[in-house]
Amino acid sequence: MDLAALLLALLIEQAHAMPANNPVWASFRGWSAWFAKNFNAGAQSHGRLAWVLYVSGVGIAVTLIWWGATKLHPALGFAVNVIALLFTMGFRRFSHAFTLIEDAVREGDADAAYKVMAQWRAEQDRPLDVPTLPLHRSAAMAIEDGLVASHRSVFGVMFWFAVLPGPVGAVLYRLTDHIARHWSRPHVGGDRPEDLRFSDFARQAFEVIDWVPARLSALGFAIVGNFEDAMHLWRNRALRFGDDTRALLVAAGAGALGVEIGPPGKADSGLDWSGSEAGAAAMRSAAGLAWRTAILWLTIIAVWTVAQLFS
């Protein structure tokens, strides 16, 4: 049932993507803002309490809805799984922006590429802090964000959907990602730098939750791309990319594609690697890498499902 729900949700999403401003996610954003406004008193413990109450409340509600639907009829439980996946998983929630940037890069329109990149970053709660970008940097940032989005909108959701019962894993994974980003914005957490301590626990919790699926996604990039370079950058990512899960995905993606993405390279970084400059062709290759990784993990889930049936 899990595999069938995943496949059906992906097919429906390709035909008709769920709008980013749909009522469900609008309500989640509203509740995130409410918790930040009413629980943030400048201490990390307040953020921990708000996170636990918010995440556990949503988790219990989703579990009860799925359990009740399944008790009424297994088909209803399956339908709840598919609906939850439609709201949490899919390539098309970010592919439109990626394609617009690719088109602008191909046409040599730096202003158009920057405008779309700025809007996309704002939607990710990661606003750009530069007034303009050269074409190759817009392309590089689009590839970087596209690979991370493919993980967080598809592969990470798939992992937690397979691990936890019903749709609760998929919903909680996407919710914790959203909370970590949303509460880290200064205008949400507070106007003072110390107010961002409220989001410390949310960021740390998501790093823990994303630890295993991020490494599986990075491994997938390596398997379907340039394995040797991907693993080299994975092992040495702290020299240039950083040491969190996002840095891991960007490093593995850069090596798999052989393209310069992430922070601009420095001659004294100590990292013995250089890739080609990002452009429209590299963006097309990145899209192919994401799809090949999706097919790889769907195949693995299918094999695991069949093995479970005959065990």
Side-chain angles (χ1 to χ4, degrees):
M1 277 295 196
D2 287 352
L3 178 61
L6 283 170
L7 290 174
L8 182 57
L10 281 172
L11 288 172
I12 295 174
E13 195 264 346
Q14 285 300 301
H16 184 73
M18 192 66 65
N21 59 346
N22 65 77
V24 173
W25 275 107
S27 67
F28 281 145
R29 286 191 290 269
W31 278 106
S32 297
W34 184 89
F35 273 99
K37 179 181 178 180
N38 291 279
F39 280 77
N40 187 6
Q44 189 186 59
S45 60
H46 303 142
R48 184 186 304 115
L49 175 61
W51 190 93
V52 170
L53 290 174
Y54 189 12
V55 172
S56 61
V58 171
I60 291 171
V62 171
T63 301
L64 288 176
I65 291 171
W66 171 74
W67 180 82
T70 303
K71 286 295 182 181
L72 287 174
H73 196 282
L76 289 176
F78 177 78
V80 170
N81 281 342
V82 174
I83 292 170
L85 287 172
L86 286 174
F87 281 103
T88 58
M89 184 182 70
F91 285 108
R92 290 195 58 192
R93 64 185 64 247
F94 63 88
S95 64
H96 180 63
F98 189 88
T99 301
L100 289 177
I101 297 171
E102 181 185 345
D103 292 340
V105 170
R106 183 178 293 107
E107 295 168 5
D109 192 340
D111 289 339
Y114 174 82
K115 289 178 182 177
V116 179
M117 191 72 239
Q119 181 180 356
W120 187 15
R121 278 286 174 104
E123 292 171 355
Q124 301 175 68
D125 295 310
R126 300 177 64 243
L128 285 175
D129 56 0
V130 292
T132 185
L133 286 170
L135 275 175
H136 75 277
R137 283 301 301 153
S138 289
M141 292 175 72
I143 293 171
E144 174 187 342
D145 285 8
L147 291 176
V148 173
S150 69
H151 163 68
R152 294 181 178 175
S153 295
V154 182
F155 311 134
V157 175
M158 289 168 59
F159 174 84
W160 282 109
F161 178 69
V163 169
L164 295 181
V168 66
V171 173
L172 292 187
Y173 176 79
R174 292 289 290 135
L175 179 63
T176 53
D177 172 33
H178 162 72
I179 293 172
R181 288 184 289 106
H182 188 69
W183 286 358
S184 296
R185 299 192 69 170
H187 77 275
V188 174
D191 295 327
R192 300 169 301 170
E194 58 266 28
D195 287 336
L196 289 178
R197 288 179 297 185
F198 178 77
S199 64
D200 285 348
F201 181 80
R203 292 194 303 270
Q204 293 164 6
F206 183 69
E207 282 290 309
V208 172
I209 290 167
D210 205 29
W211 198 92
V212 172
R215 279 151 180 78
L216 290 176
S217 290
L219 180 60
F221 294 159
I223 291 172
V224 302
N226 185 321
F227 186 85
E228 184 176 353
D229 281 1
M231 298 306 295
H232 173 65
L233 295 190
W234 180 335
R235 290 191 298 268
N236 299 284
R237 64 189 181 278
L239 294 173
R240 174 178 157 189
F241 298 93
D243 205 29
D244 57 9
T245 55
R246 181 184 177 88
L248 167 64
L249 294 165
V250 174
L257 292 166
V259 176
E260 291 281 358
I261 58 174
K266 296 180 180 178
D268 60 351
S269 68
L271 183 60
D272 182 23
W273 182 87
S274 62
S276 61
E277 186 174 271
M283 293 184 69
R284 181 59 56 87
S285 297
L289 183 80
W291 272 110
R292 292 196 303 275
T293 304
I295 293 171
L296 170 67
W297 292 123
L298 283 171
T299 302
I300 291 173
I301 292 173
V303 172
W304 179 75
T305 301
V306 172
Q308 291 292 108
L309 290 175
F310 289 96
S311 63

